[in-house]
Amino acid sequence: MSTRSNIGILNQDGTVDYIYCHFDGYLDHNGTILNENYNTEEKVRELISLGNMSVLAETIEHSIFYKRDRKESLKIYKTSYADYTKEYFEEYVYLFTPGKGWEVREYGISYWADLNEAVKTKLI
């Protein structure tokens, strides 16, 4: 069974570019990896530029992307911040804000939590 997540970045114009990740979206995996390894705007934009993925790893080279590794179509989504914060079917939604860092929402919870704190405490 998979724990699905969305990984997004807030743009200056208020839109969010994001991708879907199929496996291991929970805090102990994707949350920790994003917090420790994709913690600059440049790294996050590079990750998102490769589109939807199956598995997030500590490096882009070891992550598994649908387009690059499975020869499927490239999918990157763009939406408003308001729409990105609405309830999704994915269990976790991650958002990187340049100059601020990562936040996370868990399915069914209506507020954003600082990812660094959520990873430390295992709570959202």
Side-chain angles (χ1 to χ4, degrees):
M1 188 162 152
S2 62
T3 304
R4 302 160 301 163
S5 62
N6 287 335
I7 300 169
I9 188 166
L10 183 62
N11 298 310
Q12 286 185 336
D13 66 0
T15 61
V16 176
D17 293 335
Y18 72 98
I19 58 174
Y20 167 80
C21 182
H22 190 70
F23 290 105
D24 303 322
Y26 47 89
L27 288 174
D28 284 344
H29 190 268
N30 281 9
T32 299
I33 289 172
L34 290 169
N35 196 47
E36 293 177 0
N37 300 284
Y38 299 93
N39 47 23
T40 67
E41 181 177 357
E42 295 76 25
K43 288 180 181 179
V44 175
R45 289 200 186 280
E46 182 181 8
L47 176 72
I48 290 172
S49 74
L50 292 167
N52 287 350
M53 60 192 323
S54 290
V55 179
L56 176 66
E58 287 80 6
T59 66
I60 285 178
E61 294 76 24
H62 290 102
S63 298
I64 302 172
F65 294 90
Y66 294 152
K67 168 72 172 158
R68 183 190 72 188
D69 303 309
R70 295 175 28 184
K71 310 302 181 223
E72 296 180 17
S73 61
L74 178 67
K75 290 185 181 173
I76 302 168
Y77 307 100
K78 182 180 283 289
T79 192
S80 68
Y81 175 81
D83 283 344
Y84 191 71
T85 61
K86 289 181 180 176
E87 195 66 62
Y88 281 90
F89 293 110
E90 288 73 25
E91 287 84 357
Y92 291 89
V93 178
Y94 297 96
L95 179 65
F96 186 86
T97 301
K100 182 177 179 183
W102 285 107
E103 294 177 288
V104 60
R105 279 181 63 181
E106 187 174 357
Y107 182 81
I109 296 183
S110 61
Y111 62 88
W112 289 97
D114 177 85
L115 181 57
N116 190 44
E117 290 300 315
V119 166
K120 284 181 193 175
T121 62
K122 309 291 189 246
L123 298 172
I124 293 182

